[in-house]
Amino acid sequence: YNNVLKIRKAAIKDLALISKDCPVELLNRIGDILTQLLQTEDQSEFAQVQASLMTVFKHNPKCKSIK
C-alpha cells in the first residue's frame, strides 16, 4: 500500500509540473482531475492534491475547477 501511495502522490505532483507548460484546455482538465482526487481519505495524499491544485490555480487563475 505504501508504494502505491508514493506513486499516486508522485503522479499528483507531476500533474502540477505538467501544468506549467500546457494549453488552457489541458490546464482545466488537470484542475478537474485534481478536484476529484480531493475525495481521498489519506491525509498526505490530500495535502499533495491541495498543493498541486494551488500550483494549477497560480498558472491559470480562471481555471474552471474553482467554479
Side-chain angles (χ1 to χ4, degrees), residues 5-67:
L5 184 59
K6 287 179 185 178
I7 292 168
R8 286 175 57 96
K9 287 171 46 178
I12 291 166
K13 187 175 182 179
D14 287 345
L15 281 173
L17 295 175
I18 292 169
S19 72
K20 290 181 182 179
D21 298 318
C22 69
V24 174
E25 305 84 37
L26 286 178
L27 202 55
N28 288 329
R29 293 182 84 187
I30 290 171
D32 289 343
I33 291 166
L34 291 171
T35 301
Q36 291 175 22
L37 290 172
L38 284 171
Q39 297 179 14
T40 184
E41 294 180 13
D42 184 84
Q43 291 300 314
S44 63
E45 185 177 6
F46 182 81
Q48 184 62 59
V49 172
Q50 282 184 316
S52 293
L53 269 172
M54 292 306 295
T55 301
V56 170
F57 293 149
K58 286 178 186 174
H59 296 145
N60 181 12
K62 296 179 182 179
C63 185
K64 293 179 183 178
S65 295
I66 58 176
K67 292 182 181 179

